[in-house]
Amino acid sequence: MDLDLPIWSPDERRAQTSAMKEFRDWCSYEYRVKLDDHTAFHNWSVEDPGDFWRAVWNYCDVLGAPGPRSLTNGSDMLAASFFPEGRLNFARNLLRKRGADDALVFRGEDKVEYRWSWDELRSLVSQIQQGMRSVGVKPGDRVAAMLPNIPETVACMLAAASIGAVWSSCSPDFGEQGVLDRFGQIEPSLFIACDAYWYAGKKQDVSAKIRAIAANLGCPSVVVEYAGGGQSLAASMERALTLDAFSSAWTPGDVEYVELPFSHPLYILFSSGTTGVPKCILHSAGGTLLQHLKEHRFHCDVREGDRIFYFTTCGWMMWNWLVSGLAANATLLLYDGSPLHPDANVLWSYAEAEKATLFGTSAKYIDTLRKGNIEPAKDRDLAALRVVASTGSPLSREGFDYVYRSIKADVQLSSMSGGTDIVSCFVLGDPTRPVWSGEITGPGLGMAVDVWDEDGRPIRSEKGELVCTKPFPSMPLGFWNDPDRRRFTAAYFDKYRSVWAQGDFAEWTEHDGIVIFGRSDATLNPGGVRIGTAEIYSQVEQLDEVHEALCVGQEFGDDVRVVLFLRLGEGIQLDDGLQQKIRGKIREGASPRHVPAKILQVSDIPRTKSGKIVELAVREVIHGRSVKNLEALANPEALRQYENLSELAN
């Protein structure tokens, strides 16, 4: 590969007919500004945020009333308010389309498969809305759900949003305490759960867990029948009905939408909670809608009738992101289960059969396919596919190369980074610009992204803190039970006064792209030099022997030394020869400073429910400190082998 050339560029027709280009031309005409290229467009979007975000509202034909003012207190991120007189209903904007075309298509491993039209979805939302009102759910109440990524989950969320209730969800693989650590804080008025789910071909019965959680929450419950045990589970609980009983008592009709302020709360999302009780992050309906419309329609070029897929659970913000695709009149392709069962082609068979136009996943999944030599391009018809999106962790150069070599040569690869904190992206793709291997294309429109040093100075071609210097609509309203916003301010604004610090270690590229090197709170500092863990992962995970890696800094003597933990392929042992190979690879591909002081083999690497490795938890364990919330981990037992490792004592 020639590093001096982009790995992909849109042809002239594709760039010129993209929604991004059409929107740029529209803004240029409507606002009488000269927007000759994307750089000028992005500059205008952050220099005149009030005009830009009103343009998004008007161009996307948001249903509601924006009010006379677009932005107040725009010079102060903590005091800024978008559309202070604006009113809308989130669900109304996602359910504007009618007819018999597919709205939701679902596959649950090889067990369940069905699809709903727009009219069928709207009818069920109407019935669930009436059921929610019958048990007293009103604007501002919380509706908590512990569900798989199934159509019923989408319908329940839309019903809650139509009333103005606040939706919060997690996946059914969470442990009992992990759920209570989340939902117990927000005191829901209604709890919705499933009876069981499938993963890797096995039925996972969660009925005992659901009974215990419902009893602790003390509110009415609804059981979604997914795996055959819903009726018996509901019958064994107090104040519980199946979803069918809860909704079928009501006649389907027009959904009644409560028009609410732009800043009315819509979602509560949770931090991973690996260092304490999860933070409850409150997001607004208007901010979420505008941000997602912008990202879907312009950055991902989603058009009416497109069919979009993202492999996600309901405990990851990408579920919330995916669902907003309905606002672009796109069909959602939902999936629940293992992405590798019965084999690693299962999701690509689904994408082929349903003619997916956008396929979204995690960087880790792409790396797993690469290492397994899976080549969807060889025996799958992916002609409809225009965008592959990746997030969750930095996508390596090898991951970029793999997508274009083995998935599709002519596709926009949109590596994205943002987070639960903003329920959206700071940096992502652009259908009018080239893709460079290993780089995120650039900042989102309206996002005043920069990279700063420790002293708060902008830097180029040097690693630093990813910041956003101006307000944007999807900034959180705050944290739940944080009335003076002290915890919220400390989380994002303590590092630089009145400037959002995301907590990512990043660097601008010569192409005005961004490279993310991992979390800045997990950055390594051997000899006082800051090193991103992603720089090390991108080297060692190229090796066939290495299945997965985790890197932390260990306090040793008067300094910090780099310790690399490796999960190797089956039957492979970390002998001297492999150690030398790994050190040589890191030295050559990164720098001598990146070479670990210690390399140790482990049988498993701990990760969160959404699949992110937890460097901070391992760092705590190897220093003899307790991890406060093991319930946040998908595999907490993996941490045990990191305790009292004799190799770390010398």
Side-chain angles (χ1 to χ4, degrees), residues 21 75 177 200 215 217 234 302 374 401 413 521 560 579 610 612:
K21 176 62 165 58
S75 61
Q177 191 57 50
L217 293 177
V302 173
I374 306 301
D401 298 343
L413 175 52
D521 56 7
V560 173
Q579 288 227 23
S610 60
K612 296 181 181 179

Side-chain angles (χ1 to χ4, degrees), residues 43 52 142-143 194 447:
N43 288 344
F52 170 74
R142 278 75 60 207
V143 174
C194 62
M447 308 299 281

Side-chain angles (χ1 to χ4, degrees), residues 328-389:
N329 294 332
T331 299
L332 306 187
L333 307 179
L334 309 178
Y335 184 85
D336 182 66
S338 169
L340 304 174
H341 179 83
D343 58 54
N345 281 302
V346 61
L347 297 185
W348 298 104
S349 297
Y350 185 25
E352 177 186 34
E354 294 298 334
K355 296 180 171 54
T357 55
L358 183 152
F359 184 101
T361 186
S362 66
K364 187 61 188 174
Y365 172 77
I366 291 174
D367 194 55
T368 298
L369 295 185
R370 179 180 67 83
K371 292 201 166 187
N373 296 314
I374 306 301
E375 298 193 337
K378 280 191 173 181
D379 52 6
R380 296 284 182 274
D381 178 4
L382 300 176
L385 187 64
R386 302 197 311 271
V387 179
V388 171

Side-chain angles (χ1 to χ4, degrees), residues 57-217:
W57 184 304
N58 291 336
Y59 187 86
C60 295
D61 193 25
V62 170
L63 301 175
R69 295 184 294 173
S70 303
L71 174 63
T72 60
N73 300 315
S75 61
D76 184 348
M77 291 190 79
L78 283 164
S81 176
F82 284 89
F83 301 100
E85 295 88 18
R87 299 184 73 83
L88 53 76
N89 184 278
F90 183 83
R92 182 185 178 201
N93 280 276
L94 271 64
L95 286 171
R96 67 170 75 202
K97 189 171 181 179
R98 295 179 179 273
D101 290 344
D102 290 338
L104 304 174
V105 178
F106 175 66
R107 284 195 186 183
E109 285 198 351
D110 56 349
K111 309 294 182 184
V112 185
E113 185 176 338
Y114 54 96
R115 62 189 65 226
W116 290 353
S117 71
W118 289 91
D119 287 348
E120 288 171 327
L121 172 60
R122 184 178 293 100
S123 292
L124 184 57
V125 170
S126 168
Q127 291 176 288
I128 297 173
Q129 179 196 66
Q130 294 175 72
M132 286 182 176
R133 281 182 165 155
S134 74
V135 296
V137 176
K138 59 187 183 300
D141 283 355
R142 278 75 60 207
V143 174
M146 187 177 177
L147 291 169
N149 181 22
I150 56 178
E152 288 85 349
T153 310
V154 178
C156 289
M157 182 280 289
L158 290 170
S162 70
I163 295 169
V166 185
W167 176 265
S168 192
S169 61
C170 69
S171 53
D173 58 337
F174 272 67
E176 177 185 335
Q177 191 57 50
V179 177
L180 293 174
D181 284 346
R182 288 159 173 77
F183 295 161
Q185 294 186 69
I186 64 175
E187 301 176 289
S189 296
L190 182 67
F191 175 53
I192 309 174
C194 62
D195 51 349
Y197 65 97
W198 283 280
Y199 195 84
K202 297 179 181 178
K203 181 178 175 180
Q204 309 291 325
D205 186 353
V206 294
S207 56
K209 184 166 56 176
I210 297 303
R211 277 192 292 270
I213 292 168
N216 271 280
L217 293 177

